[in-house]
Amino acid sequence: MTTSTPANTPAAAPEAAPETAKTSNFLRQIIESDLDKGTYASRQWGGTPGDAAHHAKGQPDPAKIRTRFPPEPNGYLHIGHAKSICINFGLARDYGGVCHLRFDDTNPEKEDTEYVNSIIDAVKWLGFDWNGSPNAAPYQASDYFDFMYRAAEYLVEAGHAYVDEQTVEQMRANRGDFGKPGVDSPFRARTPAENLKRFREMRDGEHEDGSMVLRAKIDMASPNINMRDPAIYRIRRATHHNTGDTWCIYPMYTYAHPIEDALEQITHSLCTLEFEDQRPFYDWLLERLTEGGLLGNPPPRQYEFSRLNLTYVITSKRKLAQLVYDHKVSGWDDPRMPTIVGLRRRGYTPESLQVFADRIGVTKSDSWIDYSTLEGCLREDLELKAFRGMAVLNPVKLVLTNWDEVMGAGHLEPCTLPSLPHPPEGVESPERHFTIGKEVWIEREDFEEVPPKGYKRLFPGNKVRLKGGYVIECTGCTKDADGKITEVLATVVPDTKSGTPGADSVKVKAAITWVGVADGVNAEVRMYDRLFLEAQPDAGGKDFIEGLNPSSLKTVTAIVEPSLANAMPDDKFQFERHGYFVADRLDHQPGKPVFNLAVGLKDSWGK
Ligand code: ATP
Ligand code: MG
């Protein structure tokens, strides 16, 4: 049976929130106060975006609040967008509202289905659905072009807008600056009828690109330069991916955005601080259009919060694009990229990013978040979830010289360890199976011919446990002609197998990780480090390319235990003692493993 959810009913009751009590913040306070006062209680919802008349025919809005995430489909989303997504969708979820996904595609440009699809995937992957139903299509700002044009004609007729034929240079000069008021355009005094005629000519393609613009008529002396008669429509002969060649005039972003919000009955329009100066125009425009009866009342309100700045990372689509097009990284989804696709391929989970967004909170002051905060969120998430496994990243062979004699020639002894050493309550950890024989791989650094002070691992005469296997006693090593160690030699102490009654009969100071030569599998392991050497790679207009870390990727051939070799793409593991790794989404195949380092076991950033 298929159930269809009526479009635009509020998201179902929030699923078990990922963590307990939410910390309050200024946005939550605003929303709670609006809910208390019933600021938006009288709103109607027409089932789809639309003007005042459309919504008046609808029903009381079932969504208590409406928020929106309005990306421009001109690149892949990054960690800063993840913050915005978690805020907007999270608030709608927490307050019985709906969050809209809207493509802000008012700027005519070549079709960007690649970006559109990647944005849809990213929002879904983060765990959200939009527009009130799991299968709803995202909204598109370009669907509102007709209304935007009608609203512009209304402004012209009401004397709130005029066609300006000054050149770009004249307009710039007459705008004034912070210390100097602007000067009225000679075209400002035209009658509404003249303006309407001109504006229609603009629409009908009778004038050259750039020869004139439609401007709001506000105040050329305003201390806020954004209020000095901002341009609201320009002529631009460009084919739009949605509307084709229907239009040769396009609305400016500052004009389009408030209208998009209002048509969608957004209540709280949340954006980053750089839009603070635009708020007076946002309010001015919506006041004009609501008093004219074109848009529903009360209009949306804009609130600004600080954007995410993360150390050792760049959060600008344009600069990230440069890294891709200059082949500094393998693509938008390179695991070193702070894009959502990059983070995902690196092993980040949606839960870790949601916790990160909650932890950094929402404020109005710009600050830098330390990269280690993000890593800490992933580590905490994987600590509980990721299966353990042993992998030897820098292998040297260990030969148990008495194995054939005490265990039997060619004998392979089966061993098991739990996949989760500390399973959550009520969960039984699966077991992993592997074998030990005469030869095993160990880390090169786990043997010292002459041990430094305090060294507890293998050196001649010392005993250690092969984790999950037996106690062994080191007897020496063999070397090649250059003095490089080729094999470490040891003897197995019989009857000390982990999990058997004799396991504790011999005390050792260390257990080391290992993988059997008989069942270990070669794996490509990509050891990623920070992409930039500088904490603020693009601060102060610096050339961020120069700050790239030349050794942000080192690839090693490791040997992994069978449970890791048979992983599925995207599976995450803790390689015991090394860190958290993910089977690469694109290149990994069971039996032919490729792993990415997601995050180390301990914070290594401050050091
Ligand atoms: P970029 O500067 O990377 O191109 P943008 O702001 O142009 O980003 P949009 O697609 O316009 O990208 O952004 C969609 C939403 O994401 C906007 O509401 C914007 O404010 C928000 N956003 C973008 N970058 C950040 C950030 N670093 N922190 C928080 N929110 C962000
Ligand atoms: Mg933008």
Side-chain angles (χ1 to χ4, degrees):
M1 190 189 87
T2 51
T3 49
S4 68
T5 318
N8 294 299
T9 48
E15 304 183 10
E19 66 311 331
T20 48
K22 304 265 179 181
T23 328
S24 189
N25 59 49
F26 78 98
L27 294 175
R28 287 181 180 274
Q29 285 161 13
I30 289 166
I31 292 171
E32 285 163 19
S33 151
D34 280 331
L35 291 175
D36 277 354
K37 288 187 288 191
T39 313
Y40 297 100
S42 64
R43 283 172 324 127
Q44 300 268 113
W45 172 247
T48 51
D51 62 9
H54 170 78
H55 289 301
K57 286 192 294 240
Q59 40 162 323
D61 193 345
K64 292 212 179 82
I65 62 167
R66 288 185 185 265
T67 57
R68 86 286 174 269
F69 174 67
E72 217 178 314
N74 61 350
Y76 280 74
L77 300 183
H78 53 62
I79 182 73
H81 297 110
K83 170 181 175 175
S84 180
I85 291 170
C86 290
I87 290 173
N88 280 293
F89 285 90
L91 290 172
R93 176 196 58 201
D94 292 349
Y95 291 101
V98 166
C99 182
H100 296 191
L101 174 61
R102 175 206 309 151
F103 288 108
D104 211 324
D105 60 352
T106 52
N107 200 359
E109 50 197 338
K110 46 183 164 29
E111 184 151 2
D112 290 308
T113 14
E114 181 193 353
Y115 298 137
V116 167
N117 290 336
S118 80
I119 291 169
I120 290 176
D121 285 348
V123 178
K124 261 194 211 150
W125 178 73
L126 278 171
F128 299 110
D129 50 56
W130 48 83
N131 304 1
S133 117
N135 307 312
Y139 295 134
Q140 294 190 89
S142 55
D143 286 340
Y144 312 145
F145 279 159
D146 286 335
F147 178 87
M148 289 175 189
Y149 178 80
R150 178 155 70 87
E153 283 208 350
Y154 165 79
L155 292 176
V156 169
E157 287 173 323
H160 296 311
Y162 62 98
V163 173
D164 194 352
E165 293 178 43
Q166 293 183 97
T167 63
V168 175
E169 295 72 37
Q170 284 166 337
M171 248 184 267
R172 194 175 298 133
N174 288 340
R175 241 181 128 207
D177 54 36
F178 285 109
K180 198 171 84 189
V183 175
D184 283 3
S185 161
F187 300 94
R188 201 176 196 263
R190 275 178 166 167
T191 63
E194 268 177 287
N195 282 316
L196 190 61
K197 179 169 164 288
R198 278 293 194 206
F199 185 45
R200 287 183 175 166
E201 288 169 11
M202 281 172 63
R203 177 200 59 187
D204 295 338
E206 289 173 27
H207 299 284
E208 294 292 301
D209 281 18
S211 59
M212 54 189 70
V213 293
L214 184 70
R215 296 178 76 173
K217 192 172 181 177
I218 310 177
D219 178 7
M220 288 304 290
S222 170
N224 182 341
I225 294 184
N226 297 300
M227 295 296 272
R228 294 184 188 170
D229 293 7
I232 59 180
Y233 258 98
R234 65 199 161 123
I235 308 175
R236 173 128 171 68
R237 285 171 175 76
T239 304
H240 188 279
H241 73 94
N242 182 26
T243 55
D245 292 320
T246 308
W247 297 96
C248 67
I249 56 171
Y250 289 95
M252 305 299 285
Y253 175 82
T254 47
Y255 172 77
H257 197 83
I259 294 181
E260 294 159 22
D261 284 347
L263 290 172
E264 293 180 15
Q265 295 273 73
I266 300 301
T267 55
H268 301 82
S269 175
L270 314 176
C271 62
T272 38
L273 281 171
E274 65 269 24
F275 294 100
E276 197 167 10
D277 289 348
Q278 299 286 356
R279 182 163 19 100
F281 179 65
Y282 185 104
D283 291 340
W284 179 91
L285 178 63
L286 295 186
E287 269 167 44
R288 297 292 79 72
L289 297 177
T290 47
E291 78 195 5
L294 279 80
L295 289 172
N297 228 338
R301 292 231 158 254
Q302 172 181 307
Y303 303 94
E304 308 87 17
F305 61 87
S306 65
R307 55 186 291 125
L308 169 67
N309 297 308
L310 190 62
T311 59
Y312 296 100
V313 151
I314 277 175
T315 47
S316 145
K317 273 185 270 182
R318 184 179 59 77
K319 290 177 185 167
L320 292 173
Q322 193 181 333
L323 293 176
V324 174
Y325 297 129
D326 291 354
H327 302 287
K328 302 294 183 198
V329 294
S330 65
W332 288 99
D333 62 356
D334 186 300
R336 292 165 295 184
M337 289 281 271
T339 49
I340 295 180
V341 280
L343 290 164
R344 180 177 180 184
R345 198 170 163 198
R346 182 71 177 265
Y348 276 81
T349 57
E351 294 80 6
S352 64
L353 296 182
Q354 285 173 22
V355 169
F356 175 70
D358 283 334
R359 194 158 293 171
I360 61 178
V362 192
T363 66
K364 281 187 89 74
S365 53
D366 265 319
S367 65
W368 283 78
I369 303 292
D370 214 82
Y371 197 80
S372 61
T373 307
L374 177 62
E375 289 198 328
C377 294
L378 179 60
R379 209 178 278 121
E380 278 171 39
D381 190 36
L382 294 184
E383 160 72 23
L384 300 174
K385 291 183 192 162
F387 283 5
R388 273 39 170 187
M390 289 195 282
V392 177
L393 299 184
N394 183 15
V396 65
K397 195 179 275 180
L398 172 87
V399 181
L400 297 170
T401 52
N402 65 339
W403 181 271
D404 287 351
E405 191 186 316
V406 300
M407 304 293 296
H411 178 70
L412 290 176
E413 178 69 18
C415 304
T416 58
L417 276 176
S419 297
L420 289 174
H422 314 290
E425 258 196 36
V427 174
E428 202 174 319
S429 170
E431 285 194 324
R432 28 196 260 257
H433 300 273
F434 44 92
T435 61
I436 184 166
K438 184 184 170 83
E439 296 181 330
V440 303
W441 298 107
I442 61 167
E443 295 289 347
R444 217 162 248 287
E445 65 181 50
D446 284 351
F447 171 75
E448 292 284 352
E449 219 177 349
V450 183
K453 199 162 173 292
Y455 191 81
K456 296 196 181 70
R457 289 166 279 167
L458 287 170
F459 55 88
N462 195 36
K463 290 196 186 78
V464 302
R465 171 171 296 283
L466 293 176
K467 190 163 185 196
Y470 288 85
V471 172
I472 61 167
E473 177 169 353
C474 184
T475 55
C477 65
T478 58
K479 295 181 189 173
D480 66 12
D482 300 327
K484 187 175 177 198
I485 293 166
T486 47
E487 284 176 351
V488 175
L489 305 175
T491 54
V492 61
V493 182
D495 302 324
T496 57
K497 189 179 166 190
S498 296
T500 65
D504 291 333
S505 61
V506 183
K507 296 280 176 230
V508 292
K509 292 210 174 72
I512 63 171
T513 52
W514 58 280
V515 173
V517 167
D519 61 2
V521 176
N522 282 12
E524 179 182 331
V525 176
R526 299 168 181 170
M527 302 295 289
Y528 291 108
D529 195 357
R530 59 195 78 177
L531 184 54
F532 292 98
L533 292 171
E534 296 190 46
Q536 300 181 9
D538 54 351
K542 236 182 317 188
D543 181 5
F544 60 96
I545 298 288
E546 281 176 14
L548 281 168
N549 177 4
S551 42
S552 56
L553 168 59
K554 289 197 189 93
T555 301
V556 302
T557 301
I559 300 161
V560 301
E561 65 166 77
S563 68
L564 299 180
N566 294 320
M568 296 307 285
D570 237 6
D571 282 354
K572 289 144 193 102
F573 296 94
Q574 185 193 102
F575 288 7
E576 297 194 47
R577 83 192 256 195
H578 290 299
Y580 294 98
F581 290 77
V582 60
D584 189 76
R585 301 186 63 211
L586 300 184
D587 302 334
H588 172 92
Q589 293 167 32
K592 203 174 164 297
V594 180
F595 287 98
N596 302 326
L597 170 63
V599 63
L601 290 179
K602 290 202 191 78
D603 176 18
S604 60
W605 288 83
K607 282 137 225 170

